[in-house]
Amino acid sequence: MEQPEPEAASDDAMDAFLEKFQSQPYRGGFHEDRWEEELEKVPLFMKKAPSEIDPKENPDLACLQSIIFDDERSPEEQAKTYKDEGNDYFKDKDYEKAVISYTEGLKKKCSDPDLNVVLYTNRAAAQYYLGNFRSALNDVTAARKLKPCHLKAIVRGALCHLELKNFAEAVNWCDEGLQIDAKEKKLLEMRVKADKLKRTEQRDIRKAKLKKKKEQNQNEALLQAIKARNIRLVSEAASEDEDSASEGLSELLDGLSFENPYGARLSVDDQGRLSWPVLFLYPEYAQSDFISAFHEDSRFIDHVMVMFGETPSWDLEHKYCPDNLEVYFEDEDRAELYRVPPKSTLLQVLQHPRYFVKALTPAFLVCVGSSPFCRNYLRGRKVHQIK
C-alpha cells in the first residue's frame, strides 16, 4: 500500500484543524472589551503578582507556585528560591515580605553555609530598613559565625551599632572590616563618623560626671550649712518611723540639686548665706505668692511691703495692706499656729524649734488680722506669739 507523503499528511491535518474553527469557534480567547485585564492574569504578562494567590482566581499562578515551592526539592533549592523571592521583594522596597521570605529560606536549614550567610545578611538589610536595628545586628552576628570575614555582614553590623549609638562597637567592627579590605569606602567613612561620635559621647559622660560631682559637693555644703543653723528638714515621705525619716532626708539631699516645683531652688551666695524659695498662702481667697529667693537675713515686713505695695487683683475689698497683715506658720504635728513678728528675719523663724521645712520650701499663712475670716480661722486653735 502506498504511504502518503509526510508533508501532505501534515497539511491535511492543519487544514482539518482550521476547518474545525470555522464551524466551532475557539472559546478560550480573550474578550475584546477586557483583554488587558485577562492578559494581566497570565503569569508571563503579570506586572505585579498578587499578595495572596487564590487558586480559583489565578490557577496558573497557583500551579507555578506549587512547582517553585515543592517540598520534594532539596533544602538548598528551596532556600535559594526563598532567597530570590526575598531579593525581589527587597528591590520593590517591600521589606516586611523580604524578611518573611529570607526567614522561610533559613527554616529550610540547608547545608550550604554560603547560602545561609546570604540569607542572614539580606534579612539583616531588610530589618535595618524597617528600623529593627537590634534584629539586624543579631542576623549579621549569626552570619559572621558562619563566615567571620563576610565583609557585607561587617558593614551592616557597623551600621547597626551606629544606629544603636554603640559608637565604640561601631569603630571595632569597622576596624575588623578594614583588616579584610583597607580601602572599603563605606567602612572608612563610617569609622570617621563613629569615632567622632564616640569621642563626643565620652566627653559628655566626663562632663556629666564632673557636673554630678560638683552638685554633690554643693549639696553637701548646703546640707552642712542647714545643719549648722539648726534648721530642721522633713520630706513629704517622712513619717514617725526613724528609718523612714532618715531615708526622707537622704532623698532631700539628692533633691537639693533639683528645682523647686515653682522653678527655684535653695542656693548659697559667696558669703555663705542662704536664699530659700518661700511660699505665702492666703487661705481667705485660696491665693498664693511665691518668692524664688528669700534671703535668710531679709525681714518678713520687707517682702510684705513689696508684695502689697499695690492692691492684688483678688483683693476686691482693698483690705490686704501691709499694716493689716499677720503672718503665721503651722505646727502640723500639734495643729498649732505661731505668729511671726513682721521684723523677724527668715533665718530667725526657720531656727524656731517648732518650724520644720517641708520639701525645701518654707511656707507661711497670711491673713488680715482684724477680719472676720481671720478670727474664725484662728478660733479653737492654739496660737503662739514668737518673741
Side-chain angles (χ1 to χ4, degrees):
M1 183 176 179
E2 185 178 349
Q3 296 292 330
E5 293 293 331
E7 291 185 5
S10 177
D11 290 341
D12 291 341
M14 179 60 69
D15 291 340
F17 180 76
L18 294 174
E19 287 177 4
K20 176 183 176 182
F21 282 106
Q22 291 180 356
S23 59
Q24 184 181 348
Y26 175 63
R27 300 184 182 279
F30 296 146
H31 295 82
E32 185 177 351
D33 57 341
R34 58 177 188 273
W35 68 270
E36 290 182 333
E37 178 184 342
E38 293 171 348
L39 184 65
E40 179 66 23
K41 292 183 180 180
V42 178
L44 181 62
F45 299 103
M46 281 184 174
K47 296 178 182 178
K48 185 177 181 181
S51 57
E52 298 293 335
I53 299 175
D54 185 350
K56 293 182 179 180
E57 288 288 330
N58 302 100
D60 296 337
L61 196 60
C63 182
L64 286 173
Q65 186 184 48
S66 66
I67 295 172
I68 293 172
F69 298 107
D70 186 1
D71 287 340
E72 293 183 2
R73 297 188 307 153
S74 69
E76 287 73 23
E77 289 179 311
Q78 294 180 65
K80 184 179 183 305
T81 298
Y82 279 116
K83 183 207 73 171
D84 294 339
E85 182 185 59
N87 290 349
D88 289 336
Y89 283 131
F90 192 92
K91 290 175 184 176
D92 292 337
K93 298 184 179 181
D94 194 341
Y95 303 120
E96 291 182 354
K97 288 184 180 178
V99 167
I100 293 172
S101 295
Y102 296 135
T103 301
E104 290 299 319
L106 288 165
K107 285 180 180 178
K108 297 305 174 182
K109 299 185 183 299
C110 74
S111 58
D112 184 348
D114 289 337
L115 180 54
N116 287 328
V117 166
V118 172
L119 286 166
Y120 274 122
T121 307
N122 288 3
R123 188 172 70 174
Q127 294 283 25
Y128 178 87
Y129 283 109
L130 288 171
N132 302 329
F133 306 121
R134 184 64 62 185
S135 296
L137 183 59
N138 290 338
D139 277 346
V140 294
T141 301
R144 291 193 66 191
K145 287 181 180 179
L146 297 172
K147 192 174 182 180
C149 296
H150 190 55
L151 195 60
K152 189 175 287 187
I154 294 174
V155 171
R156 287 175 181 166
L159 281 169
C160 290
H161 278 300
L162 202 58
E163 293 291 344
L164 292 167
K165 302 187 186 305
N166 301 329
F167 305 126
E169 281 299 315
V171 171
N172 291 339
W173 278 58
C174 288
D175 287 342
E176 291 173 9
L178 291 171
Q179 288 178 4
I180 300 169
D181 184 353
K183 296 181 179 180
E184 170 56 48
K185 185 178 179 181
K186 288 183 179 178
L187 289 176
L188 289 170
E189 293 176 350
M190 205 185 317
R191 193 193 186 288
V192 172
K193 181 178 180 181
D195 188 60
K196 182 178 179 181
L197 290 170
K198 182 185 77 171
R199 293 176 187 277
T200 301
E201 182 183 50
Q202 291 173 340
R203 181 202 64 196
D204 291 343
I205 291 173
R206 289 193 299 270
K207 288 173 67 176
K209 287 182 178 179
L210 289 173
K211 182 180 178 182
K212 185 176 181 180
K213 182 65 177 177
K214 182 180 179 181
E215 287 179 348
Q216 288 176 341
N217 292 338
Q218 290 175 340
N219 292 345
E220 289 287 355
L222 283 171
L223 194 60
Q224 291 302 319
I226 292 169
K227 288 181 177 180
R229 289 163 170 76
N230 293 318
I231 296 174
R232 285 151 291 278
L233 302 178
V234 293
S235 71
E236 295 284 359
S239 65
E240 294 180 359
D241 181 72
E242 184 176 345
D243 292 337
S244 297
S246 176
E247 290 177 4
L249 289 176
S250 177
E251 291 176 2
L252 274 176
L253 177 59
D254 293 337
L256 284 170
S257 60
F258 295 99
E259 288 187 346
N260 177 280
Y262 297 90
R265 53 167 292 185
L266 176 64
S267 61
V268 60
D269 61 21
D270 295 338
Q271 286 73 44
R273 309 304 292 170
L274 299 177
S275 290
W276 296 78
V278 174
L279 189 61
F280 281 83
L281 304 171
Y282 312 110
E284 182 177 4
Y285 291 100
Q287 297 290 332
S288 64
D289 274 322
F290 180 74
I291 301 173
S292 60
F294 194 137
H295 194 280
E296 63 181 357
D297 296 329
S298 296
R299 303 180 305 171
F300 280 83
I301 187 61
D302 298 328
H303 283 281
V304 169
M305 291 291 291
V306 173
M307 289 189 296
F308 293 95
E310 295 182 3
T311 304
S313 59
W314 44 262
D315 181 19
L316 301 179
E317 300 178 30
H318 299 278
K319 59 185 180 181
Y320 274 71
C321 302
D323 294 339
N324 299 336
L325 301 180
E326 295 178 356
V327 180
Y328 299 86
F329 73 79
E330 186 175 15
D331 182 346
E332 293 184 0
D333 290 341
R334 297 180 180 179
E336 297 174 352
L337 294 172
Y338 289 79
R339 184 176 175 182
V340 177
K343 294 184 178 180
S344 296
T345 64
L346 177 61
L347 177 59
Q348 289 172 332
V349 177
L350 296 184
Q351 288 177 324
H352 190 279
R354 294 307 305 168
Y355 195 93
F356 299 90
V357 180
K358 181 180 289 187
L360 297 171
T361 306
F364 299 92
L365 300 167
V366 180
C367 59
V368 177
S370 59
S371 68
F373 173 84
C374 189
R375 289 195 295 271
N376 290 332
Y377 189 77
L378 300 178
R379 185 176 292 130
R381 307 179 73 172
K382 188 172 184 178
V383 179
H384 302 271
Q385 297 290 333
I386 299 178
K387 297 181 181 180

